[in-house]
Amino acid sequence: MARHRLLLAALLLLLSSAVLSSSSASAEREEEEDPLIEQVVGGDDDELMSELEAEAHFASFERRFGKAYGDAGERAYRMSVFSANLRRARRHQRLDPTAEHGVTKFSDLTPAEFRDRFLGLRGGGRPNLAGSRDAPILPTDGLPADFDWREHGAVGPVKDQGSCGSCWSFSTSGALEGAHFLATGKLEVLSEQQMVDCDHECDPSESRACDSGCNGGLMTTAFSYLMKSGGLQTEKDYPYVGRENTCKFDKSKIVAQVKNFSVVSVNEDQIAANLVKHGPLAIGINAAFMQTYIGGVSCPFICGKHLDHGVLLVGYGSAGYTPIRFKDMPYWIIKNSWGENWGEHGYYKICRGPRAHNKCGVDSMVSTVTAIHTKKE
Ligand SMILES: *[C@@H]1O[C@H](CO)[C@@H](O)[C@H](O)[C@H]1NC(C)=O
């Protein structure tokens, strides 16, 4: 009798894990991960979680991030996506051992949903300004070993773009907030919504990628818009709502004006020199590892260089968190726009230096802006 019960229990367990694996396989199929990553890391050799374990994990995720789903079907689907993301986070952990990967507030989104809603760099992030915007080459000797604009008052609070592909506007406002601080000594928190609603500037290249609110944009085209329109209002005067509305720009309320902007070459010394001289820089990055990122210096063995996310470079360090085999790994400090409850209080660190080889394309699209000097009040 007892034996029969045991057999029945074993059968049930087998059945339920089969159900779990088939439903999570469907979520996994939507995952368009780099095929190279799959080759290196291999398939899922992880033991399958029991349904009970998965349920407990998911319930704690729901509580922690205040998630509420429409109905039981939606919740079951989100749980299967969550399970697939747990396996993905484990793969990311193996590929990126100097960072910590795990459950984040984005763990119930497929990579495709995540890309559509929380990134937003257009045209592969490749502006074609035909060299006309190349930044002059700066001297690089005497640069500090470590530098962080947050310690010098040039960086405002971490913001949250919400479910809107407007990263490009946050990167742009962050760079102008810094440049304006350097020019005036005053930190003004600037408006992204003005750009989301009013900036429809197009890239001059054949791609004709245009700034399009929550559907993406480019920082360089946003700088062009700001030069033409006159500048940015404050966040307070033109608050962020996270969807595109009709333009309510009021020229009389401009507080920060762009004097000029330029594109920095793909050279880490030049990037550092421009950062120190001109303030935080608008950069593009490949965000594939950011959905599961919790902290540490990200330095994945393999990372795409296709740029899909606009962020703000605010500083650099010379020796990051280092397990023995990555001694003294230098890194960039990046301000993101996914709120303070993501990453390291809203920030991301990624490795730099000759061994990093432009990791995740972080050095590929860097632009700097200068603000108009106005008299201090
Ligand atoms: C603006 O920046 C570009 C690129 O760095 C430079 O060639 C140009 O001379 C600058 N214009 C002004 C008015 O400073």
Side-chain angles (χ1 to χ4, degrees), residues 132-136 260-262:
S132 63
R133 283 284 170 187
D134 288 354
N260 203 359
F261 70 94
S262 49

Side-chain angles (χ1 to χ4, degrees), residues 123-125 285-287 304-309 360-361:
I285 195 170
N286 180 299
K305 286 189 170 52
H306 169 86
L307 309 177
D308 52 16
H309 190 39
C360 304

Side-chain angles (χ1 to χ4, degrees), residues 331-358:
Y331 57 89
W332 295 118
I333 304 165
I334 287 168
K335 184 188 183 190
N336 199 1
S337 49
W338 296 343
E340 281 188 22
N341 65 348
W342 175 87
E344 294 191 343
H345 303 289
Y347 284 81
Y348 182 59
K349 290 202 210 97
I350 189 163
C351 60
R352 64 185 174 103
R355 280 189 303 161
H357 301 294
N358 185 13

Side-chain angles (χ1 to χ4, degrees), residues 62-136:
E62 285 178 295
R63 277 194 305 277
R64 191 167 142 211
F65 295 106
K67 302 274 181 180
Y69 302 105
D71 55 46
E74 173 68 6
R75 185 177 183 275
Y77 174 66
R78 288 299 150 194
M79 189 162 125
S80 74
V81 173
F82 177 82
S83 297
N85 276 327
L86 281 187
R87 287 194 293 281
R88 187 155 160 261
R90 281 201 286 272
R91 283 200 298 278
H92 283 183
Q93 190 63 71
R94 286 198 290 268
L95 271 172
D96 187 13
T98 52
E100 190 189 338
H101 291 273
V103 173
T104 69
K105 62 176 172 179
F106 304 121
S107 291
D108 59 350
L109 300 176
T110 66
E113 289 171 326
F114 174 69
R115 204 168 38 242
D116 287 348
R117 300 181 198 169
F118 293 94
L119 304 182
L121 205 58
R122 290 221 129 189
R126 287 232 156 257
N128 183 355
L129 298 163
S132 63
R133 283 284 170 187
D134 288 354

Side-chain angles (χ1 to χ4, degrees), residues 129-149:
L129 298 163
S132 63
R133 283 284 170 187
D134 288 354
I137 301 299
L138 296 178
T140 56
D141 29 83
L143 283 173
D146 298 88
F147 189 81
D148 187 345
W149 272 117

